[in-house]
Amino acid sequence: MPDDTVNATLPPDYTTLLCVRSGPFGGGRSSLSDVHAAVARLSEDNRALLAEPAFHYGTFFDLFGVGEEYKPFPVLDASDPGKGFVRFTAKMLGRSELGQAHADAARELAEELVREQVRFMLQPGDYLIVNQRRFLHGREALHVGQESVPAADRRLLLQLFLRAGAGARLGRVAGRRHR
């Protein structure tokens, strides 16, 4: 899931990305991983560790409609193991003060997510919609030299979070711009 909302109490159901401009120096491929398939390959002990509220990641900014900041939080939604929400970004491994067992469980999940992920480059005009309850989306770094490109020529992705469900209005949760 995008690292914007792993620590939110009400993360959005979908994230969308519209590629307006490609990066002039390349890089920045997107990746998708089937999170439930990755979790199913973990040992029961590691799933139990990931269901404990032991993880931290960043702080909120420019987000609304996603609930409160959740810290510490569990990676796996214990209310519905195997089908619930998975709060994970590999970046949090360096930001959570974890015991060895929790760190090992999170690293194993990261390895399983990478094992069968699909990578692709969004091109201008491409619009990606990701069900965050089933897939985790990530982006690789842009190639070196991006900081020398004028802002008007840099890669531009527009992101919007959506909430599904009875009575929910699409587009109710705002997004933000990514470069």
Side-chain angles (χ1 to χ4, degrees), residues 87-162:
R87 303 167 189 284
F88 187 80
T89 174
K91 293 176 188 176
M92 73 185 193
L93 293 174
R95 298 181 185 179
S96 292
E97 293 182 18
L98 298 171
Q100 190 65 45
H102 286 95
D104 289 346
R107 274 192 282 283
E108 183 182 346
L109 176 57
E111 291 168 8
E112 289 300 330
L113 289 166
V114 169
R115 185 195 313 190
E116 294 185 17
Q117 76 182 196
V118 176
R119 292 185 178 119
F120 52 94
M121 182 64 76
L122 290 173
Q123 300 298 320
D126 287 351
Y127 189 63
L128 176 67
I129 302 172
V130 180
N131 177 342
Q132 295 195 124
R133 297 196 177 272
R134 182 61 196 228
F135 295 94
L136 293 187
H137 173 263
R139 284 186 303 278
E140 295 174 357
L142 294 170
H143 289 158
V144 177
Q146 301 295 326
E147 62 281 346
S148 67
V149 177
D153 297 330
R154 292 181 185 165
R155 176 180 173 172
L156 178 60
L157 299 177
L158 299 179
Q159 183 175 29
L160 177 68
F161 300 120
L162 302 173

Side-chain angles (χ1 to χ4, degrees), residues 12-25:
D13 298 303
Y14 297 89
T15 188
T16 69
L17 289 171
L18 171 64
C19 181
V20 177
R21 279 191 306 271
S22 296
F25 296 123

Side-chain angles (χ1 to χ4, degrees), residues 28-59:
R29 288 188 306 173
S30 286
S31 61
L32 288 175
S33 298
D34 182 333
V35 68
H36 294 296
V39 168
R41 292 189 298 266
L42 299 175
S43 70
E44 187 142 342
D45 289 343
N46 280 344
R47 286 194 298 269
L49 286 164
L50 294 171
E52 295 176 4
F55 301 87
H56 297 269
Y57 182 74
T59 57

